């Protein structure tokens, strides 16, 4: 089954690579400002990192180096996302700057408060869940067969 998924992943990776190259051509025609931000300046190294990591992922997958593929695939996605953000900077979206999109202090305080309450509820529940499953595992290991 792993071999079938590996073949599918290789085919999908090749298709995604071709579509990404075509996407850059479309980006050049439809969003020249973003295209310039991606291909000239600080975003270019991140874009190149994404391309290199994507190619490395395909090569590692072909060699069945599954653990290393996870790392290079994560690098490819990370490079693409950061490259996009750096290419757009200082705009978040066309016509919307980061300062314009920033939340007000009241919204930030409410968000921080809800995160604190959520943490107080979630952490004890997770601790209890993990403890329950660990206790069941230790009992199964100690019982004679």
């Amino acid at each position: 089954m792993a071999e079938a998924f590996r073949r599918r992943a290789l085919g999908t990776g090749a298709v995604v690579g071709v579509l990404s190259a075509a996407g850059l051509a479309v980006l050049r025609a439809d969003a020249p400002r973003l295209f310039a931000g991606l291909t000239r300046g600080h975003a270019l190294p991140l874009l190149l990192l994404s391309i290199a990591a994507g190619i490395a992922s395909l090569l590692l997958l072909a060699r069945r180096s599954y653990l290393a593929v996870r790392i290079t695939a994560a690098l490819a996605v990370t490079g693409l996302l950061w490259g996009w953000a750096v290419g757009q900077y200082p705009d978040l979206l066309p016509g919307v700057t980061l300062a314009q999109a920033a939340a007000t202090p009241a919204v930030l305080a409410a968000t921080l408060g809800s995160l604190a309450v959520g943490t107080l509820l979630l952490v004890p529940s997770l601790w209890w869940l993990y403890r329950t499953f660990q206790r069941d595992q230790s009992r199964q290991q100690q019982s004679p067969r």
Side-chain angles (χ1 to χ4, degrees), residues 16-43:
V16 167
V18 170
L19 289 175
S20 297
L24 281 175
V26 170
L27 189 66
R28 184 176 187 183
D30 288 349
R33 195 166 133 214
L34 176 58
F35 181 79
L38 284 173
T39 57
R40 300 179 202 123
H42 298 297

Side-chain angles (χ1 to χ4, degrees), residues 31-35 37-38 43 81-102:
R33 195 166 133 214
L34 176 58
F35 181 79
L38 284 173
L81 290 175
W82 277 102
W84 170 79
V86 170
Q88 288 276 104
Y89 187 81
D91 290 343
L92 186 61
L93 295 170
V96 179
T97 65
L98 288 173
Q100 292 170 332

Side-chain angles (χ1 to χ4, degrees), residues 7-87:
R7 282 194 309 271
R8 288 180 189 152
L10 286 169
T12 302
V15 170
V16 167
V18 170
L19 289 175
S20 297
L24 281 175
V26 170
L27 189 66
R28 184 176 187 183
D30 288 349
R33 195 166 133 214
L34 176 58
F35 181 79
L38 284 173
T39 57
R40 300 179 202 123
H42 298 297
L44 183 60
L46 294 166
L47 191 62
L48 293 175
L49 168 71
S50 179
I51 293 167
I55 292 169
S57 293
L58 290 175
L59 294 174
L60 288 167
L61 190 58
R63 294 183 56 203
R64 295 173 177 81
S65 299
Y66 300 119
L67 183 61
V69 168
R70 293 177 187 176
I71 296 167
T72 56
L75 270 175
V77 172
T78 303
L80 180 67
L81 290 175
W82 277 102
W84 170 79
V86 170

